[in-house]
């Protein structure tokens, strides 16, 4: 029959020829236990005093820049949706009339679509710069500046139609492309302005605003192209 197993640690240690180690609670050095207790009490008291200080509470909440309230959240998303709708309205209008205006002003018919090319080029060149600019000054100031670029581009294009200057029209389309570059960040601004739970819906709503622009753009260009005696002048002024 098998031998009985040792019943105690000391017996097992003698059998295995290993020293027996007694398990005991760690003991503090003389005076360290009371010192640790005092330190813990002081820390708790310090945290309690910090929690009771109004100035500290204000400084703490100022360090949280992404606090979003439901009222401002929905208002910001609605404004960004409207901005996206206006952006796509302007873009579809420009696509509809830039080639025709270039054909009317260009000395060579092969250059008729050059204003459209300048518009795309302006957006491509300014996209990265717009992102860096908004990283430095914030979404609000960056998107406001982008809207000013759109106003300037529309005025330059209208002046080109008034002066019958083809290259000025190309320059105005280039400026308008900068506005298009800033407008590509409306959906990212919606993501920044929304809570985590509402963020996918906010981005979807802003992008859905472009559907409105797809309907309003061609309609606006058709109704305003001959609104003024100078052909295409009313369409460019409508972009403002």
């Amino acid at each position: 029959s098998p031998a009985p197993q040792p019943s105690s640690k000391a017996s097992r240690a003698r059998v295995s020829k290993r020293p027996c180690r007694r398990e005991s609670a760690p003991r503090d050095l003389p005076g360290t236990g009371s010192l640790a207790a005092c330190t813990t009490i002081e820390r708790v008291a310090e945290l309690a005093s910090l929690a009771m200080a109004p100035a500290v509470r204000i400084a703490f909440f100022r360090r949280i820049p992404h606090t979003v309230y439901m009222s401002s959240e929905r208002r910001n998303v609605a404004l960004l949706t409207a901005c996206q709708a206006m952006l796509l309205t302007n873009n579809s209008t420009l696509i509809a009339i830039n080639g025709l205006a270039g054909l009317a002003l260009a000395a060579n018919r092969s250059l008729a679509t050059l204003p459209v090319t300048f518009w795309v080029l302006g957006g491509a060149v300014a996209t990265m710069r717009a992102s860096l600019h908004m990283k430095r000054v914030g979404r609000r100031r960056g998107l406001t500046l982008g809207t000013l670029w759109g106003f300037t581009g529309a005025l330059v294009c209208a002046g080109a139609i008034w002066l019958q200057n083809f290259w000025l029209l190309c320059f105005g389309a280039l400026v308008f492309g900068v506005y298009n570059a800033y407008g590509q960040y409306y959906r990212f601004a919606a993501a920044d302005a929304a809570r985590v739970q509402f963020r996918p819906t906010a981005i979807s709503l802003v992008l859905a605003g472009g559907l409105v622009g797809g309907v309003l753009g061609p309609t606006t260009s058709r109704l305003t192209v001959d609104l003024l005696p100078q052909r295409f002048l009313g369409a460019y002024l409508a972009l403002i």
Side-chain angles (χ1 to χ4, degrees):
S1 61
Q5 297 294 328
S7 60
S8 64
K9 288 187 175 182
S11 301
R12 289 197 296 269
R14 284 196 298 270
V15 172
S16 61
K17 298 181 181 182
R18 288 183 298 179
C20 175
R21 292 186 300 175
R22 296 181 179 180
E23 297 178 359
S24 59
R27 296 180 179 180
D28 296 331
L29 295 176
T32 58
S34 59
L35 179 61
C38 293
T39 305
T40 304
I41 294 174
E42 290 177 358
R43 288 180 179 178
V44 172
E46 182 181 0
L47 292 176
S49 63
L50 290 176
M52 296 297 293
V56 175
R57 289 200 301 269
I58 295 174
F60 175 76
F61 285 110
R62 282 181 178 176
R63 294 177 63 184
I64 306 178
H66 299 295
T67 302
V68 179
Y69 300 97
M70 291 185 63
S71 59
S72 62
E73 175 187 51
R74 297 183 183 278
R75 183 180 66 249
N76 291 335
V77 171
L79 290 175
L80 290 170
T81 303
C83 291
Q84 180 76 9
M86 294 299 102
L87 173 70
L88 269 295
T89 299
N90 291 345
N91 288 349
S92 56
T93 302
L94 282 176
I95 293 173
I97 65 175
N98 260 351
L100 298 175
L103 180 63
L105 298 181
N108 189 349
R109 288 177 175 268
S110 62
L111 301 177
T113 57
L114 195 60
V116 182
T117 304
F118 271 86
W119 171 67
V120 175
L121 183 62
V125 171
T127 299
M128 183 61 70
R129 296 181 180 272
S131 177
L132 296 176
H133 178 249
M134 282 186 283
K135 182 180 179 180
R136 186 173 65 255
V137 303
R139 296 288 189 193
R140 179 182 298 179
R141 292 184 180 180
L143 295 177
T144 302
L145 179 62
T147 305
L148 294 178
W149 279 103
F151 288 159
T152 305
L155 287 175
V156 173
C157 290
I161 296 297
W162 180 261
L163 299 175
Q164 296 292 296
N165 192 319
F166 173 76
W167 294 108
L168 186 60
L169 178 65
C170 294
F171 177 72
L174 181 70
V175 174
F176 213 100
V178 179
Y179 163 62
N180 186 36
Y182 275 91
Q184 300 304 316
Y185 293 95
Y186 284 138
R187 58 185 182 272
F188 300 110
D192 293 339
R195 295 168 298 163
V196 177
Q197 300 84 351
F198 187 62
R199 192 167 294 167
T201 305
I203 297 174
S204 301
L205 289 174
V206 172
L207 292 178
L211 299 177
V212 179
V215 175
L216 289 181
T219 304
T220 302
S221 61
R222 185 175 65 254
L223 296 177
T224 58
V225 65
D226 294 320
L227 185 62
L228 297 177
Q230 195 78 20
R231 186 174 173 82
F232 303 112
L233 181 60
Y236 282 111
L237 290 177
L239 299 179
I240 302 175

